[in-house]
Amino acid sequence: MSETIFSKIIRGEIPCHHVYEDDAVLAFLDVNPLSRGHTLVIPKEVAKTLDQLSDEASAAIGRVLPKIARAVLAATGATSFNVLQNNGADAHQAVFHVHFHIIPKVEGRGLGIGWEPMKVETADLKALREKIARCAAAETQKG
Ligand code: 5GP
């Protein structure tokens, strides 16, 4: 698994403004924030993208995300925020170690979203549902 700047941050070889740490998770301020309080929450387990993360690391990060979100809201006074999680270069991922962005809406700043829904046929939805549900069941069986 390739080394990233986040591995160095986890090991303490590169400084960060950390706001939370436990055995499995680290959270720290983004060095190029979209808004004041923009925080990154990362698993200590090394995985490039979310689909490669173990169940244990996923559970650990899932437990922490709401706590950090509440802390960011309380500290910044924001009442709205986005959680962003990019996977793959085409999806705007720049650091290939799983990370969740918590981006509060502060002083008009935050995450800008381009959202252009496409038209979809019901038959296509049905076929897709079947296919994804089958794949999800296979994933669940793998354990
Ligand atoms: P991505 O586009 O991969 O989802 O976002 C990576 C994020 O990591 C960016 O928002 C970027 O500002 C942040 N980042 C990259 N290098 C560092 C670093 O060395 N320290 C901190 N604190 N954030 C970083």
Side-chain angles (χ1 to χ4, degrees):
M1 196 59 79
S2 55
E3 177 83 356
T4 69
I5 193 124
F6 288 177
S7 293
K8 294 193 169 91
I9 287 176
I10 290 166
R11 293 198 298 267
E13 293 166 11
I14 288 180
C16 71
H17 296 280
H18 69 277
V19 298
Y20 175 88
E21 181 166 17
D22 64 28
D23 287 349
V25 178
L26 180 67
F28 51 96
L29 296 181
D30 194 303
V31 78
N32 289 124
L34 289 181
S35 63
R36 270 189 92 236
H38 181 166
T39 299
L40 299 173
V41 186
I42 70 173
K44 289 185 177 175
E45 179 177 293
V46 175
K48 285 185 183 174
T49 51
L50 187 63
D51 51 289
Q52 295 175 9
L53 199 60
S54 72
D55 284 357
E56 292 72 25
S58 306
I61 207 155
R63 271 195 302 274
V64 168
L65 277 169
K67 294 188 214 296
I68 305 301
R70 287 193 291 273
V72 168
L73 292 178
T76 61
T79 53
S80 301
F81 67 102
N82 293 97
V83 175
L84 175 68
Q85 207 280 310
N86 299 325
N87 298 280
D90 287 346
H92 208 279
Q93 185 177 12
V95 178
F96 290 89
H97 179 121
V98 172
H99 53 281
F100 289 75
H101 299 255
I102 295 179
I103 310 168
K105 289 283 182 191
V106 179
E107 292 155 5
R109 298 192 59 98
L111 179 68
I113 299 180
W115 194 281
E116 293 169 28
M118 57 188 259
K119 293 223 180 307
V120 62
E121 302 295 330
T122 304
D124 189 32
L125 283 179
K126 280 184 179 166
L128 260 177
R129 185 216 68 79
E130 217 168 274
K131 202 168 177 180
I132 295 173
R134 214 179 315 119
C135 293
E139 283 295 325
T140 306
Q141 273 199 334
K142 275 192 219 163

